[in-house]
Amino acid sequence: MLSSQDEVEYFVGIFIFNPLDDPYHLERITSCIDSVVNAAQKYNKKVRLALCLNNSQVRGENFTGIGLQTLELLEEKIKTFNLEKLEYNKRNSCAQGYNHILKYGHQNTKAKRICVLADDYIMPYFWFLVMDKNFEMHKNTSFMMPCTSFVSQQNLKMNIEYHKDWDVRVADKGYQNTVQYKTIFGGVKQEHVDEIATMCLRNPITPYNHPPSFETTVFKRELIDQVGYIEDEYTQLFYDNDYFLKIYNRGFKGHIAKNCFIFHYGKGGTKAYYKETADEKFIDSPVDDLLQQDIEIWNKRTGQNVKPWWSKK
């Protein structure tokens, strides 16, 4: 059940970015919020849900990360479901936006478990119930990382077929056109996600292995107590690798919950702003230098020698 109380089982925060009021992304945001609300209402313990608006200024533009139509939608959802509203106003950064949510959930609630979501995920209605059972079966685990779709992390990826009702296309131009990457523009329904998730229920729960995904991972409060938060330097890359390295160095153990599916649209999520390519990673993109700085930070902190892997648009 949804709750605004301090003592809850889960705190979930959704980080929302849609500066140009992209209609396809509005659909994604709506589905994401509604799915978490639906799952919370079907769960017999308390869930506290917050929507975090990315009100930081988009680099090189005179607008912020939340368009007027998006704001209207969010205000309606907040009022309808009595949700919390958080605002992130610092530099435009998914890493620091996620950090803002993590800190808030840790410092302003007494939630036993904390989870941060991007706004392009859809949760099946029984997600919290499955997570509960997983934590009960593995009492010594400190985090659970669910399986998902259309991600680069092969350890988390469930290969699913495109539903006949989904609007699946290749971008007209740009890098995604070059590699013929298919983007799901819309049409994903709650019942589609519930059906896929049901087929995953018999999948195993396995010990965590790299690479990680910060978004969607459910962290126990005790882990955050000792590990802390995402490093302030990061903008968009390697913040999650860095955080899970800190988890490993502290001796915490986690699992990949392949029986607990959450739908992800894939690279098209960033189409809310980077329309041509559905991705911000290309040479001379508006954030190319920030992405490269993230690599430099990671290399400096770990002694590795990672090189940028993206090409021209």
Side-chain angles (χ1 to χ4, degrees), residues 101-116:
I101 295 171
L102 184 69
K103 287 181 180 179
Y104 183 88
H106 183 239
Q107 297 175 5
N108 294 277
T109 80
K110 296 179 181 178
K112 296 178 182 177
R113 300 165 190 160
I114 295 173
C115 177
V116 176

Side-chain angles (χ1 to χ4, degrees), residues 164-177:
K164 62 181 179 61
D165 294 338
W166 298 352
D167 179 6
V168 182
R169 286 177 267 157
V170 176
D172 293 335
K173 51 185 174 179
Y175 177 72
Q176 301 301 331
N177 179 270

Side-chain angles (χ1 to χ4, degrees), residues 30-31 62 85 105 169 217 219 236 238 265 297:
T30 300
S31 296
N62 61 356
K85 176 182 176 181
R169 286 177 267 157
T217 296
F219 300 102
Q236 289 176 262
F238 286 102
Y265 281 86
I297 293 164

Side-chain angles (χ1 to χ4, degrees), residues 295-312:
I295 292 177
E296 292 172 5
I297 293 164
W298 169 255
N299 287 342
K300 183 178 179 181
R301 286 177 56 83
T302 63
Q304 296 189 24
N305 189 31
V306 177
K307 302 292 185 183
W309 57 88
W310 50 92
S311 60
K312 284 189 176 293

